[in-house]
């Protein structure tokens, strides 16, 4: 499902289609594992919720990020396909794509980010209901503005990968702040790509950067699932908590196997297709 989204982040995609897709453009790659430019210490996030103190709490928070990543990427793909097919009507070259979560639904938006006063105008809405449809229901205007501004910041940042894998910016709204994740997307070869996770943290409205990841985990390419496999074990190089990209890979593999396991140095996390829940055990 995600390979089309990943390929959309290429210069060839941009060259072949409307300027609408300027939002989905390949960026120069950063040396694998190299730190981003130093921008100074971030301000205190006084509005941010407290960080969980237990392994289970921290894992649940990271798993929630992974599920949002999958939802965002799928929404981007569907919205791009709808715009490309003409389902969204006439599209201006000045519009960009943003995706927000409205309750349990992911909604694609075609937005125009006006330079004057940094105003975001939503021109179209798209939701997957049945085969997909244009909607006109109320939406979270603040979240739409946050996502549009965060994705604008994403276009100025270098991507990990160096040709090893396709990376995609994922903009998420959190309570009191927003995030831009750079994560690997599966490709047509069915390889499993993990690592390279990079994060920019921004203000709640997406207008200002608060901080960014100082370290990019090594990108690793694992072999595809073998024919007839009923389980998958992802070996993590993390001490306790797996990476967001590792949890994303596990969740995307689950429809193909009965259970997926992520093994860090000190914990095993197992996700069962039958229950849809994670179980954890110390190693």
């Amino acid at each position: 499902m995600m390979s089309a989204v990943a390929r959309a982040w290429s210069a060839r995609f941009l060259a072949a289609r409307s300027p609408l897709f300027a939002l989905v453009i390949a960026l120069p790659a950063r040396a694998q594992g190299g730190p981003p430019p130093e921008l100074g210490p971030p301000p205190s996030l006084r509005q941010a919720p407290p960080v969980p103190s237990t392994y289970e709490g921290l894992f649940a928070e990271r798993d929630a990020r992974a599920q949002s990543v999958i939802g965002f990427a799928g929404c981007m793909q569907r919205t791009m396909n709808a715009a490309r097919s003409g389902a969204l009507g006439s599209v201006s070259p000045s519009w960009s794509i943003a995706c927000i979560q409205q309750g349990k639904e992911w909604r694609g938006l075609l937005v125009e980010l006006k330079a004057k006063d940094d105003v975001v105008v939503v021109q179209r809405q798209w939701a997957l209901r049945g085969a997909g449809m244009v909607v006109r229901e109320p939406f979270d205007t603040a979240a739409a503005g946050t996502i549009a501004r965060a994705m604008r910041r994403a276009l100025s940042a270098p991507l990990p990968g160096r040709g090893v894998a396709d990376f995609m910016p994922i903009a998420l709204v959190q309570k009191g702040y927003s995030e831009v994740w750079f994560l690997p997307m599966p490709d047509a070869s069915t390889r499993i790509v993990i690592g390279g996770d990079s994060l920019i943290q921004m203000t709640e409205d997406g207008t200002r950067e608060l901080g960014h990841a100082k370290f990019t985990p090594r990108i690793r390419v694992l072999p595809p699932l073998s024919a007839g496999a009923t389980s998958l074990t992802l070996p993590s190089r993390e001490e306790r908590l797996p990476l967001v990209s590792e949890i994303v890979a596990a969740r995307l593999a689950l429809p193909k196997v009965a259970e997926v396991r992520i093994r860090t140095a000190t914990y095993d996390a197992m996700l069962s297709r039958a229950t849809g829940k994670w179980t954890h055990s110390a190693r």
Side-chain angles (χ1 to χ4, degrees):
M1 178 183 72
M2 300 301 173
S3 59
V5 177
R7 289 196 300 273
W9 295 85
S10 68
R12 292 189 298 275
F13 185 100
L14 181 64
R17 293 169 173 85
S18 160
L20 161 71
F21 300 98
L23 188 60
V24 285
I25 182 172
L27 304 176
R30 181 170 69 239
Q32 186 169 314
E38 294 290 338
L39 296 180
S44 172
L45 294 176
R46 289 186 294 272
Q47 295 178 310
V51 176
S53 58
T54 65
Y55 163 82
E56 288 79 7
L58 289 166
F59 187 98
E61 188 177 71
R62 199 159 288 189
D63 182 44
R65 293 290 196 284
Q67 293 182 72
S68 294
V69 165
I70 294 170
F72 183 98
C75 171
M76 287 290 289
Q77 179 188 19
R78 293 190 298 269
T79 307
M80 285 190 293
N81 289 345
R84 188 169 55 201
S85 69
L88 301 183
S90 177
V91 174
S92 168
S94 65
W95 300 352
S96 304
I97 298 175
C99 281
I100 61 174
Q101 190 170 12
Q102 293 274 114
K104 295 183 179 180
E105 175 183 76
W106 279 92
R107 193 173 299 183
L109 308 174
L110 299 186
V111 303
E112 184 177 9
L113 187 58
K114 295 181 178 293
K116 184 179 180 181
D117 301 324
D118 203 32
V119 173
V120 173
V121 178
V122 175
Q123 303 287 354
R124 301 279 193 280
Q125 297 185 63
W126 173 256
L128 184 63
R129 298 174 186 170
M133 62 181 294
V134 180
V135 296
R136 295 177 175 82
E137 298 162 8
F139 60 91
D140 188 335
T141 54
T146 294
I147 295 299
R149 297 182 191 104
M151 292 299 283
R152 178 179 59 188
R153 171 66 183 94
L155 292 180
S156 69
L159 286 177
R162 295 183 62 85
V164 175
D166 291 318
F167 273 67
M168 178 179 181
I170 305 286
L172 303 176
V173 179
Q174 307 297 344
K175 185 176 180 180
Y177 61 99
S178 58
E179 297 175 336
V180 179
W181 286 89
F182 297 90
L183 296 166
M185 293 290 112
D187 60 23
S189 70
T190 70
R191 303 177 305 165
I192 300 173
V193 182
I194 54 179
D197 306 35
S198 187
L199 170 66
I200 298 174
Q201 199 168 61
M202 305 189 70
T203 53
E204 189 170 11
D205 60 1
T207 59
R208 184 165 53 91
E209 182 173 325
L210 297 174
H212 54 254
K214 300 295 184 182
F215 173 74
T216 302
R218 182 174 178 81
I219 300 168
R220 293 189 292 144
V221 180
L222 306 181
L225 282 169
S226 58
T230 58
S231 64
L232 170 68
T233 297
L234 296 175
S236 174
R237 293 182 177 175
E238 300 302 296
E239 181 67 22
R240 294 180 66 216
L241 290 167
L243 301 170
V244 170
S245 62
E246 292 170 339
I247 301 177
V248 168
R251 283 196 166 276
L252 290 178
L254 195 61
K256 303 174 185 177
V257 293
E259 64 178 39
V260 179
R261 189 182 306 270
I262 307 176
R263 179 163 289 172
T264 64
T266 54
Y267 281 91
D268 275 358
M270 195 269 287
L271 177 62
S272 166
R273 190 202 304 163
T275 65
K277 296 180 180 179
W278 290 96
T279 56
H280 306 278
S281 59
R283 296 187 62 192

